Amino acid sequence: MPRAVYVLAIGIFAMVTGEFVVAGLMPQMAAGLDATIPQIGYLITTFAVAMAVGGPFLTVAVLKLRPKPALLVLIGVFLTGNLLAATATSYGAMVVARVVTGVAAQAFFGVAISVCSALTREEVRGRAVAVAMNGLMLGTLLGLPMATFIGGHLGWRAAFWAITALTVLAAAAVVVGVPRLERPGAAGASFRDEVRVFRAPRLWSALATSTLIIGATFSAFSYFNPILTEVTGFEEGTVPVLLVAYGAATVIGNTVVGRLADRRTVGVQVAGLALNVLFLSGFALLADVGAAAVLLMTGIGLVGVTMNPAMVTRVQRAGNAGPLVNTVHSSFITLGIIIGSSVGGVLVGAYGLRSPLWLGAALAVLGLLSLLPESGRRRHPIEV
């Protein structure tokens, strides 16, 4: 595997940590910015919406650059936004910071995945994406607890300064570890070619499946904490340990899916969604049984966000491996997060804490249905 793929994982790790940091520091940030807890919660939504809406536009802005300079520009934009967050003295300044970092993170993900594809043979691209996406899994497993620990002991601004240091490290790693590559246009793919692929119905089908896979997972993940404490009955101090177990499961699942994604692209998604229907439904039914709840939550970690390598492989085959397609795909993934968390929140208010789990199961079923046309097609030549 090219060294650059591991380098890109560092950048993704830094940006995912920046995305999730607010979740672990809500009380401190509310006090420091003279805001309410719900207002601080909106900063998470702001980041997600900025990713989904703004990321593709920033990607278009850097399309004329070679990949390595484009990565460095995007890291620079993210760094600027994070510095603004670390020094913000008002809630409004923090909102601006979250918009800047969200847009930059989404564009970076798209360009990074495109670079992974450019550096590897087609038959191992899924594995390369899995290596890079381990930055996302480790951001959940290690980055969020690290930022929460630093913020809890040294103040919430210190957590953002730590992310700044990580971002500088990622920039240095890109300078040293990513080779000089020609921009996509030099290989025969112009901006017009990048846009033209969106006429393909198969691409939109693949994007819809990705949205449903991630929506199913995040409808549950967004409410793990209150479910585990208020329904299952775990102490607050136990939940972080359980979430580490969930994060470890995502790393394992991502690695396994990466090994299978190139040859079993659709089959992996079918199996993952089918298992997630079982895990989510089982969790909804057995949320009050401690051992079962932990086992089923871990199962969701194994087959949820870990579908990323297979999702990316399918989208690239239906469209192309260019930065714009990959960034738009990331936007559809973010849309899944927004749908799962927001609709789940509405259902919690109306039907209780088990309802997001049932929502997740329903979205996973829809994801399976979205794969039916693809399952009947002849497989890609390198699939078995």
Side-chain angles (χ1 to χ4, degrees), residues 126 257 261 264-266 268-269 306-315:
V257 172
R264 307 285 185 182
T265 308
V266 175
V268 165
Q269 292 181 80
T306 58
M307 292 295 109
N308 260 297
M311 288 154 45
V312 169
T313 301
R314 184 180 169 212
V315 164

Side-chain angles (χ1 to χ4, degrees), residues 52-262:
V53 177
F57 290 100
L58 185 54
T59 300
V60 169
V62 300
L63 274 180
K64 292 185 178 181
L65 298 176
R66 291 189 178 92
K68 184 172 180 176
L71 290 169
L72 291 172
V73 166
L74 296 173
I75 290 175
V77 175
F78 182 86
L79 180 62
T80 300
N82 199 70
L83 286 170
L84 177 58
T87 58
T89 57
S90 68
Y91 181 77
M94 183 59 75
V95 169
V96 173
R98 297 295 284 177
V99 170
V100 173
T101 50
V103 171
Q106 188 80 312
F108 182 87
F109 295 162
V111 176
I113 292 170
S114 179
V115 169
C116 285
S117 300
L119 290 172
T120 53
R121 303 186 311 276
E122 185 176 359
E123 61 268 23
V124 295
R125 282 180 180 172
R127 192 179 305 178
V129 169
V131 171
M133 283 295 105
N134 267 331
L136 188 156
M137 310 306 163
L138 291 172
T140 306
L141 175 62
L142 301 176
L144 175 57
M146 176 199 72
T148 302
F149 178 83
I150 293 172
H153 287 78
L154 301 176
W156 64 268
R157 294 184 189 277
F160 284 96
W161 284 115
I163 294 166
T164 296
L166 273 176
T167 306
V168 172
L169 174 63
V174 168
V175 170
V176 174
V178 175
R180 183 181 185 276
L181 297 169
E182 293 300 320
R183 64 185 178 87
S190 65
F191 171 69
R192 184 175 297 176
D193 295 325
E194 286 261 333
V195 173
R196 188 181 296 122
V197 299
F198 289 97
R199 299 176 183 175
R202 288 187 66 192
L203 176 57
W204 289 102
S205 175
L207 294 170
T209 302
S210 294
T211 301
L212 291 166
I213 289 172
I214 300 302
T217 303
F218 271 82
S219 63
F221 176 79
S222 302
Y223 301 95
F224 277 166
N225 195 317
I227 291 171
L228 291 171
T229 55
E230 297 180 32
V231 180
T232 312
F234 285 110
E235 297 291 333
E236 277 285 349
T238 306
V239 173
V241 178
L242 299 178
L243 292 178
V244 167
Y246 171 88
T250 66
V251 174
I252 295 169
N254 182 65
T255 302
V256 172
V257 172
R259 295 279 178 176
L260 300 173
D262 294 300

Side-chain angles (χ1 to χ4, degrees), residues 16 19-20 23 44 48 51 136-137 140 144 210-225 227 246 250 276 280 300-301 303-306 308 311 332-345 348 356-357 359-361 363-364:
V16 169
E19 177 181 1
F20 292 145
I44 300 173
M51 289 179 74
L136 188 156
M137 310 306 163
T140 306
L144 175 57
S210 294
T211 301
L212 291 166
I213 289 172
I214 300 302
T217 303
F218 271 82
S219 63
F221 176 79
S222 302
Y223 301 95
F224 277 166
N225 195 317
I227 291 171
Y246 171 88
T250 66
N276 222 5
L280 288 161
I300 295 168
V303 299
V305 295
T306 58
N308 260 297
M311 288 154 45
F332 272 79
I333 289 172
T334 305
L335 177 62
I337 296 173
I338 295 170
I339 292 172
S341 58
S342 60
V343 176
V348 166
L357 301 172
L359 169 65
L363 291 173

